[in-house]
Amino acid sequence: MVKMIDDTQRASCLAFLRFWLCSIRLHAFGAAVLLVGTHGDVVSERWQHEAIDAHLWSEFGVENARNGNGALFGLGEGALRLEHNDEDKLCFFPVDNTARPPPPIVGRLKAAVDRIIAAEEFVQREIPLSWLDLQDALQARAETDGVVHRSEVEALAAGMPEAELESALKLLHSLGVVIYFPEPGLREWVTLDPQFLVDQISSVVRDYDRHALQHDKEARAMAAEWKALVSEGVVSEKLLRVLWRDVEAQRPLLTALLQKLDLACPLPGNPTRYLVPSALPHKRALSQRPSLPPLMGSAPHGILKGSAPDGAAQHRCTLRFALVVTTGSAIGFAPEALWARLLVKCSQYASILRAEEAAAAGGAAAPLDELRSDWARLAFGAQVFELRREDASIEVALWLAYPTPVVVQLLHLASEVCDEWMPEMTCAVTVTVKGEEFDLTKAIDALETRGVVRHPTRLSGGELRRADFAPWVLP
């Protein structure tokens, strides 16, 4: 709450809250949400709480179309299940954690949580006694093993039919007794101790300078693999075998789980390597014209032929992402996992082009991708471009006489990421023409069918033609 009453910090605080509300809407839609304001010992006045409430309603209420017209605040179709603090007439619960005994609002907050949990379907559900016996057996096994193979669970289930065992495991997962995912590659394992997963994932996802672990000395001796991890955010299977030496039998589960939780993405090529987004180094904003080693030949596909001549102008466009919350209503939003998955898609496509070039030239193709946490430089064949990550978009810079084919391919790859992993997300490419932003795909369609594009803010004389959209549209 301290940041919310500070005029200089409020915007960043709202952006942070917006990101997490959108993330919940995307990944855990249907879950109940309660907003808790901390530092109630500092921000203790009623007028301060009402001011914060007003700021939150202004940002996320029904009047703000940019944030879904109240969908993030539990209002309307497709909204989050946001539980409001009705007694104080606030949309959040202001809490002072320093007070002893705890103030009454802490009791009301706990009561709200209990009420929500008690109303959940999985709590009300009647279950067979054999499921409770299985729960007891798994909890006893957790004393010695953090994770067990499904075959061992089947033995503990004492002849329970497969379909019934699947239902029991899903229910126990919902109750937090075990961690179980029914997808291929994960369903073969049941985690009995969540700390086991935390410890193993932390072997890969951590601050490598501050948090040294048992096998780091051996891992650092693998100079090339260790450098790739800490400097490029890329971990190899060979290095994972060292970091997870004590749990080799569970390595398939752990690698699958890293991907399931969007903590790593497999990169193209052999041997298998994974991009770890949290380990990607930072990079400054979009650079000027890239200075790269010469590329071999030109791109093999017609859509990508013809790199720009020296001194070609820089052209920029934007990949814009949105979370669809209701029919006709979307919120600009780019999840963290989207960036990593798009980089992987681009790297896969670029590696195909490089392999074809190398085969045609009779040589080997050297990867030229440079990937960072908020910036990337890639090449599709001979055509270099840069990406810069923003809150709800990705800025694209190109140095091509005709950049549209590369941008269309980028849009295709970004749309694939959304379709495969985040079906509620949409993607579009926008370009700026005469101070206004246009959807490039729609503009091209309009030019092809009508020969003109209507200027969105001019009632008359607002027709734009092909020449106005150069270099995105050929004459």
Side-chain angles (χ1 to χ4, degrees), residues 192-356:
L192 309 180
D193 180 10
Q195 190 60 44
F196 170 84
L197 292 184
V198 172
D199 292 342
Q200 303 311 319
I201 289 174
S202 297
S203 296
V204 181
V205 181
R206 58 184 162 108
D207 185 321
Y208 306 104
D209 293 326
R210 294 186 178 183
H211 304 291
L213 298 179
Q214 178 182 356
H215 297 298
D216 278 6
K217 183 176 180 180
E218 184 180 356
R220 289 175 184 272
M222 303 167 61
E225 284 82 2
W226 184 259
K227 181 180 179 181
L229 175 59
V230 300
S231 301
E232 302 170 23
V234 175
V235 64
S236 65
E237 285 276 9
K238 184 177 179 182
L239 187 60
L240 286 176
R241 283 190 169 90
V242 173
L243 296 174
W244 290 334
R245 182 176 299 285
D246 297 335
V247 290
E248 173 62 24
Q250 286 82 40
R251 186 166 52 82
L253 163 68
L254 296 171
T255 52
L257 196 61
L258 285 177
Q259 298 173 64
K260 164 74 176 178
L261 301 178
D262 292 327
L263 297 174
C265 302
L267 288 167
N270 286 306
T272 303
R273 301 176 306 149
Y274 300 89
L275 181 68
V276 183
S278 64
L280 284 171
H282 293 287
K283 175 72 181 183
R284 62 182 180 275
L286 287 169
S287 70
Q288 298 303 311
R289 182 171 175 80
S291 175
L292 289 174
L295 296 171
M296 297 169 48
S298 58
H301 300 306
I303 192 172
L304 296 175
K305 282 185 178 293
S307 58
D310 289 340
Q314 181 189 93
H315 303 296
R316 296 196 181 200
C317 62
T318 304
L319 282 170
R320 296 207 174 276
F321 300 92
L323 171 63
V324 178
V325 292
T326 62
T327 303
S329 178
I331 302 171
F333 173 56
E336 289 189 357
L338 191 152
W339 171 254
R341 294 196 181 281
L342 179 59
L343 294 186
V344 170
K345 285 277 188 184
C346 290
S347 295
Q348 289 172 337
Y349 184 74
S351 68
I352 294 172
L353 298 185
R354 283 195 295 266
E356 293 178 357

Side-chain angles (χ1 to χ4, degrees), residues 286-462:
L286 287 169
S287 70
Q288 298 303 311
R289 182 171 175 80
S291 175
L292 289 174
L295 296 171
M296 297 169 48
S298 58
H301 300 306
I303 192 172
L304 296 175
K305 282 185 178 293
S307 58
D310 289 340
Q314 181 189 93
H315 303 296
R316 296 196 181 200
C317 62
T318 304
L319 282 170
R320 296 207 174 276
F321 300 92
L323 171 63
V324 178
V325 292
T326 62
T327 303
S329 178
I331 302 171
F333 173 56
E336 289 189 357
L338 191 152
W339 171 254
R341 294 196 181 281
L342 179 59
L343 294 186
V344 170
K345 285 277 188 184
C346 290
S347 295
Q348 289 172 337
Y349 184 74
S351 68
I352 294 172
L353 298 185
R354 283 195 295 266
E356 293 178 357
E357 281 191 340
L368 299 172
D369 302 343
E370 187 179 353
L371 311 180
R372 298 292 183 264
S373 63
D374 57 357
W375 175 92
R377 176 181 294 165
L378 302 112
F380 287 169
Q383 304 184 70
V384 178
F385 59 93
E386 294 186 3
L387 306 176
R388 183 183 66 200
R389 176 184 169 193
E390 302 289 350
D391 288 341
S393 63
I394 294 175
E395 301 296 318
V396 186
L398 312 95
W399 293 264
L400 306 173
Y402 178 44
T404 301
V406 172
V407 172
V408 169
Q409 182 61 39
L410 274 173
L411 176 61
H412 173 70
L413 296 175
S415 298
E416 280 189 348
V417 172
C418 293
D419 291 342
E420 293 171 8
W421 296 95
M422 308 165 190
E424 292 180 286
M425 298 291 300
T426 63
C427 179
V429 173
T430 62
V431 296
T432 300
V433 177
K434 294 190 175 182
E436 294 287 348
E437 197 169 36
F438 293 85
D439 184 308
L440 181 58
T441 302
K442 292 180 180 179
I444 292 175
D445 288 345
L447 291 170
E448 293 296 330
T449 56
R450 300 193 301 271
V452 296
V453 176
R454 298 288 181 182
H455 198 291
T457 61
R458 298 179 186 173
L459 297 177
S460 61

